[in-house]
Amino acid sequence: MSVAKKQLHVTGVVSEGDRWTAIFSGTPDVNGALAIGAGGEIDGWRVVSVSPSLVRLARDRETQTLVPAQAILQGIKPGY
């Protein structure tokens, strides 16, 4: 039997002055959404960078690039 990896979901990104914050949903043990900016951590992943179209995460030697659902719905092209 294989164990499924937890999948992180970014529903959107909000601006706080000149900083962007990613809104994560579906996080275990959290009611509602969780807002995390660059330098923060979620489920053992460090948030490396946040932009309106991409959220980059790192853990050990692994990296993940997530596209916020909001960006997909609005047709924002990935990139910085």
Side-chain angles (χ1 to χ4, degrees):
M1 174 190 265
S2 66
V3 177
K5 289 168 65 173
K6 282 193 273 182
Q7 183 68 33
L8 295 173
H9 298 280
V10 177
T11 56
V13 174
V14 294
S15 171
E16 297 177 2
D18 61 345
R19 290 180 45 106
W20 292 97
T21 301
I23 308 300
F24 291 87
S25 67
T27 306
D29 303 322
V30 174
N31 290 327
L34 189 61
I36 303 175
E41 290 192 10
I42 181 169
D43 288 340
W45 291 90
R46 183 174 52 85
V47 178
V48 176
S49 61
V50 179
S51 78
S53 60
L54 292 174
V55 177
R56 295 179 194 248
L57 307 173
R59 175 176 65 191
D60 300 323
R61 294 182 182 175
E62 293 179 84
T63 61
Q64 278 193 68
T65 300
L66 305 175
V67 178
Q70 166 189 339
I72 295 168
L73 294 172
Q74 294 176 353
I76 299 172
K77 303 251 188 250
Y80 280 78

